């Protein structure tokens, strides 16, 4: 499993927010992180399946 590190996505370990735009096809590998992640989709053109087959609810 790939472990995503703060130093890769943030300018400083003190930063509270970082923005990162990526190709969704290139981010489909299993991973975990040292930080919380919020994913925002734009221009969705296909069906997104989740792994539990249950609706996803964002709180």
């Amino acid at each position: 499993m790939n472990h995503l590190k703060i130093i890769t996505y943030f300018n400083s370990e003190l930063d509270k927010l970082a923005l990162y735009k990526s190709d969704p096809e290139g981010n489909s590998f299993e991973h975990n992180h040292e930080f919380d992640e919020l994913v925002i989709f734009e221009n969705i053109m296909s069906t997104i399946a989740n792994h539990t087959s249950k609706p996803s609810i964002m709180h």
Side-chain angles (χ1 to χ4, degrees), residues 4-45:
L4 305 181
K5 297 182 181 262
I6 289 172
I7 196 70
T8 305
Y9 295 91
F10 293 79
N11 291 324
S12 164
E13 290 185 15
L14 301 176
D15 286 353
K16 301 294 182 195
L17 178 69
L19 298 177
Y20 173 73
K21 187 172 184 174
S22 67
D23 176 13
E25 297 297 323
N27 267 347
S28 60
F29 56 88
E30 186 176 351
H31 63 276
N32 59 24
H33 358 72
E34 298 177 335
F35 51 88
D36 292 328
E37 177 181 43
L38 171 64
V39 178
I40 299 172
F41 295 93
E42 61 181 343
N43 300 328
I44 298 174
M45 301 301 288

Side-chain angles (χ1 to χ4, degrees), residues 50 54-59:
N50 72 30
K54 296 178 183 175
S56 297
I57 300 173
M58 240 173 112
H59 299 277

